Amino acid sequence: MLQSTGLTNSDSSAAKTATPSTPKVSVPCGCGPSASQAAVPKNIQERIAKHPCYSEDAHHHYARLHVAVAPACNIQCNYCNRKYDCANESRPGVVSEVLTPEEAAHKALVIAGKIPQMTVLGIAGPGDPLANPKHTFRTFELVAEQAPDIKLCLSSNGLMLTEYIDKIKELKIDHVTLTINMIDPKIGEKIYPWVRYNRKRYKGIEGVRILHEKQMEALDALREADILCKVNSVMIPGVNDQHLAEVNEVIRSKGAFLHNIMPLISAPEHGTHFGLTGQRGPSPKELKAVQDSCSGNMKMMRHCRQCRADAVGLLGEDRSQEFTKDKFLEMTPEYDLAARQEVHEGIEKFTAEVKAAQAAKIAKTVKKGPKILLAVATKGNRLVNQHFGHAKEFQIFEVDGADVKFVAHRKVDHYCQTGYGEKATLEHIIETIADCKGVLASKIGLCPQEELRKAGLEPFEAYDVIDKVALDFYEQFTQSNESMGVL
Ligand code: CLF
Ligand code: SF4
């Protein structure tokens, strides 16, 4: 195995101080700003710095909370079953508890105390927030009054956005997501069977035309209001996959800040039209190809986890079961602005130090080479800090000796289920990350090490900042491959 020169599990104090709960930092090296992040103007960087969806850097450290206060919807998408989470912003799964605005605000204040790195309150379903305007805006009002440092975030299909733009401005909602899957109603006809507008249901292309016009007006209204707009597009192979480049052009020209092309989730058991008619979702490779084809035009989001409408925590984790209604209603809110700010300052100090250290290292040792992909087991905080067997997803980084760039995440079943590794699970993990050259984890058992190596994936144990470990790996990997004449 290539040898980690970073901290080991038993000698990991520097990396452990990088966690938000202990803000003191001493880090040997770290991460530089990604190219896309550096290209963002400073005033916008400040607006997105603590938003885990709008900033890839932020998603390693900051968390979001979704409150499910919006059950109704005003359109029908063929990838949605009303009994399930909104597939625009959630993976399918029943939202067992729709909340009142008062319950939702209580939950937000409880979680703001317990998870101080929770910086964003999002309303993303389970239906469309703007088809439930009373509950949506009341929730935002209550939270804004009592927790002014929490950013408010809204996700909608856009049909009713222009009707509520003044309210959105008044509440200072600075981040709005629109789900736009088409700009051609003929393609939209294959996605939306009906649209309900002004108390009337419009079927087929008539409804889709209304939706399209309203979505375009919504983009204009958000640009004019200087609200940061992210567009989500669900990629549906054979329906809109070839069309998404045109969608990308149009949303960019209308001022959208970020484009999130996400894969269709479709299975018969979800009971959706697409699920029942066998419409498949894209493979990770197909998704990446479309994302890459659009990335020259604008900033692309690649770290979306298609989270539940009641999700809690960092994007890669789901702590919703810790805060079910019966539990959070028993908890007393301990929102403390000063304590939250202290934690955020710790995170900012940590990220500034690792960026400075990275810049210094690059200035001294930069030696760009061929790009390789690495799979990283992480529990967050931009650290290699998880056992291989415990990982439920791997973050994929592209490394070229100078830059370490997050490019994707891949969900897996964790290998170590009951204290023992599952052979079939390991095979599936290997298949999922087969395009990588190495696997970085805090610990990797001897058996998976052997299997990984057989599949051409070099295992690498470390407990440290991802960027440092990735560059260490790259250096050793290229040296050993150069000496063998492979690179
Ligand atoms: Fe929620 Fe959406 Fe706001 Fe984020 S999610 S309302 S912008 S706070 Fe984020 Fe979840 Fe992807 Fe959405 S990872 S599904 S993009
Ligand atoms: Fe379902 Fe959301 Fe589409 Fe409404 S907008 S039908 S809730 S996916």
Side-chain angles (χ1 to χ4, degrees):
M1 179 163 76
L2 298 183
Q3 295 298 307
S4 163
T5 54
L7 302 167
T8 65
N9 246 345
S10 55
D11 177 25
S12 56
S13 55
K16 279 178 177 166
T17 56
T19 58
S21 52
T22 49
K24 283 187 193 128
V25 175
S26 165
V27 179
C29 184
C31 54
S34 66
S36 56
Q37 187 73 6
V40 175
K42 196 162 186 305
N43 65 327
I44 307 270
Q45 277 190 39
E46 281 163 11
R47 286 163 71 184
I48 64 170
K50 291 186 194 174
H51 197 306
C53 304
Y54 281 65
S55 159
E56 190 274 311
D57 277 355
H59 104 280
H60 297 286
H61 307 282
Y62 292 105
R64 52 74 184 100
L65 162 67
H66 283 173
V67 284
V69 295
C73 193
N74 43 18
I75 68 173
Q76 177 65 59
C77 304
N78 278 334
Y79 47 73
C80 176
N81 177 345
R82 291 272 187 275
K83 291 183 197 147
Y84 289 79
D85 293 358
C86 173
N88 288 338
E89 285 284 335
S90 334
R91 66 181 160 75
V94 178
V95 173
S96 45
E97 301 169 327
V98 172
L99 306 180
T100 65
E102 290 70 26
E103 288 167 346
H106 180 86
K107 185 175 185 178
L109 292 174
V110 164
I111 290 173
K114 296 211 178 291
I115 309 178
Q117 62 272 44
M118 186 278 282
T119 45
V120 175
L121 173 78
I123 301 185
D128 188 84
L130 298 180
N132 305 261
K134 221 171 120 196
H135 281 195
T136 294
F137 291 125
R138 184 64 190 142
T139 304
F140 281 145
E141 273 164 9
L142 288 170
V143 173
E145 277 163 18
Q146 299 169 79
D149 69 327
I150 294 180
K151 286 178 188 300
L152 307 179
C153 190
L154 176 71
S155 174
S156 169
N157 59 40
L159 182 68
M160 297 303 290
L161 188 122
T162 51
E163 273 81 347
Y164 295 108
I165 188 70
D166 290 339
K167 189 71 187 170
I168 290 169
K169 284 197 275 189
E170 183 194 316
L171 281 166
K172 298 191 171 56
I173 297 169
D174 197 30
H175 299 78
V176 171
T177 294
L178 299 177
T179 297
I180 300 180
N181 298 321
M182 55 84 211
I183 50 157
D184 177 351
K186 284 210 179 74
I187 290 174
E189 244 187 318
K190 298 175 193 161
I191 305 171
Y192 307 104
W194 58 259
V195 167
R196 188 174 171 81
Y197 183 64
N198 280 346
R199 296 169 187 269
K200 190 173 166 202
R201 185 184 283 211
Y202 296 86
K203 286 192 183 161
I205 199 149
E206 203 185 353
V208 179
R209 283 206 180 101
I210 295 170
L211 179 65
H212 168 60
E213 277 164 27
K214 295 298 294 178
Q215 288 181 333
M216 296 301 104
E217 285 172 21
L219 284 168
D220 293 336
L222 291 169
R223 187 189 61 248
E224 279 157 25
D226 189 28
I227 291 169
L228 290 174
C229 173
K230 168 165 73 64
V231 169
N232 285 358
S233 300
V234 180
M235 178 178 166
I236 310 161
V239 175
N240 70 349
D241 50 341
Q242 302 299 316
H243 177 58
L244 288 175
E246 285 171 63
V247 174
N248 178 269
E249 286 283 343
V250 168
I251 62 165
R252 181 178 58 102
S253 71
K254 286 185 168 287
F257 167 71
L258 185 63
H259 196 186
N260 174 23
I261 298 178
M262 51 213 275
L264 171 72
I265 299 174
S266 174
E269 61 268 28
H270 301 150
T272 64
H273 174 79
F274 282 151
L276 294 171
T277 53
Q279 171 64 54
R280 70 172 181 95
S283 68
K285 208 171 153 195
E286 288 170 330
L287 178 69
K288 187 171 181 299
V290 171
Q291 289 172 332
D292 287 349
S293 74
C294 295
S295 65
N297 291 329
M298 68 185 290
K299 222 170 129 48
M300 301 297 293
M301 178 181 187
R302 295 175 192 254
H303 59 281
C304 174
R305 303 303 203 277
Q306 293 174 279
C307 38
R308 295 173 56 92
D310 55 3
V312 183
L314 294 172
L315 297 194
E317 68 181 357
D318 180 13
R319 297 180 61 179
S320 56
Q321 288 311 304
E322 290 172 48
F323 300 100
T324 51
K325 197 160 156 181
D326 58 329
K327 291 181 186 153
F328 79 72
L329 285 178
E330 294 292 313
M331 299 176 190
T332 308
E334 287 165 16
Y335 172 81
D336 180 339
L337 182 59
R340 286 171 54 79
Q341 281 170 340
E342 199 184 329
V343 170
H344 299 178
E345 279 161 20
I347 294 171
E348 280 162 32
K349 190 163 175 255
F350 168 69
T351 50
E353 286 188 19
V354 294
K355 280 175 185 171
Q358 173 79 351
K361 176 163 175 157
I362 287 172
K364 260 203 264 166
T365 63
V366 69
K367 189 188 169 211
K368 276 199 182 206
K371 287 177 182 166
I372 61 168
L373 296 179
L374 299 178
V376 179
T378 173
K379 289 187 280 184
N381 300 316
R382 210 167 173 114
L383 296 171
V384 180
N385 60 358
Q386 191 172 41
H387 284 214
F388 174 82
H390 297 170
K392 289 185 182 166
E393 69 166 32
F394 287 91
Q395 292 192 3
I396 309 296
F397 286 80
E398 188 180 80
V399 191
D400 65 3
D403 285 331
V404 179
K405 194 168 97 183
F406 173 93
V407 289
H409 63 91
R410 310 256 172 89
K411 285 196 169 74
V412 293
D413 285 333
H414 56 290
Y415 167 61
C416 192
Q417 300 276 1
T418 49
Y420 296 95
E422 287 279 338
K423 193 166 180 288
T425 311
L426 181 57
E427 283 168 9
H428 180 250
I429 293 172
I430 288 175
E431 204 181 299
T432 306
I433 56 174
D435 52 347
C436 298
K437 295 290 182 208
V439 181
L440 317 183
S442 60
K443 199 84 197 152
I444 307 177
L446 288 177
C447 170
Q449 277 193 30
E450 208 176 296
E451 295 302 315
L452 287 168
R453 214 171 279 115
K454 274 192 220 159
L457 288 147
E458 190 60 42
F460 196 74
E461 287 180 348
Y463 193 118
D464 210 327
V465 177
I466 289 171
D467 308 69
K468 176 187 181 326
V469 181
L471 289 173
D472 286 347
F473 176 95
Y474 189 89
E475 202 176 343
Q476 293 184 41
F477 178 81
T478 45
Q479 274 169 11
S480 86
N481 280 286
E482 270 166 8
S483 67
M484 289 189 292
V486 177
L487 284 177

